Amino acid sequence: MEEQGEFVIPASPQDVWDALQKPDILKECIDGCEEMTVTEEGIFACVVAIKVGPVKARFTGTVKMVEPKPPHSYVLEVSARGGGAGFGSGRAEVNLQEVPEGTTLSYVVKGTIGGKLAQIGTRLFQSFSRKMTRTFFDRFSQRWVR
């Protein structure tokens, strides 16, 4: 599965970079996020409750930032397990570029899913993933819109 997109955030690249490092902001912006903690520099542990079609589960996972180039780019390595619901893993390349409106955040994600999540079909899961991404960036962007 592959996904890409971009969002304009009304803040400087440094402000966006700094906010993306704060677990409380991430928790607030990720739909269904119950816990988000820093386990060590650049590594987050999280618990997210989701419902994709008929599959409802609580996933525990880790997000590790690799190849950081503050405040311009980084790569995220993600892995999550949801018991009988399945698992997911992926890699996201994130770039921040200053524009007159603030910062354009662009991303390319490549991932895999297994278990019941894979059984419901890639199309339904991709639709769910796009919705989660839009929700995250809508909430994230609103932190700067006053």
Side-chain angles (χ1 to χ4, degrees), residues 116-135:
K116 287 183 184 176
L117 284 178
Q119 293 172 0
I120 64 171
T122 302
R123 183 173 290 156
L124 179 60
F125 188 79
Q126 284 181 320
S127 175
F128 167 79
S129 176
R130 281 188 214 105
K131 180 182 178 281
M132 287 281 292
T133 302
R134 278 192 309 273
T135 299

Side-chain angles (χ1 to χ4, degrees), residues 34-48:
E34 297 174 351
E35 293 178 37
M36 178 69 69
T37 57
V38 175
T39 58
E40 56 186 272
E41 177 132 7
I43 302 176
F44 297 91
C46 60
V47 177
V48 179

Side-chain angles (χ1 to χ4, degrees), residues 47-62:
V47 177
V48 179
I50 66 167
K51 184 176 185 315
V52 183
V55 179
K56 184 177 178 181
R58 178 171 281 114
F59 284 80
T60 58
T62 59

Side-chain angles (χ1 to χ4, degrees), residues 65-78:
M65 181 185 292
V66 297
E67 303 173 32
K69 296 177 182 141
H72 305 291
S73 66
Y74 58 87
V75 174
L76 294 176
E77 294 177 347
V78 180

Side-chain angles (χ1 to χ4, degrees), residues 12-26:
S12 73
Q14 187 64 56
D15 287 342
V16 172
W17 178 275
D18 292 343
L20 289 170
Q21 312 306 309
K22 297 180 179 175
D24 57 324
I25 292 175
L26 297 174

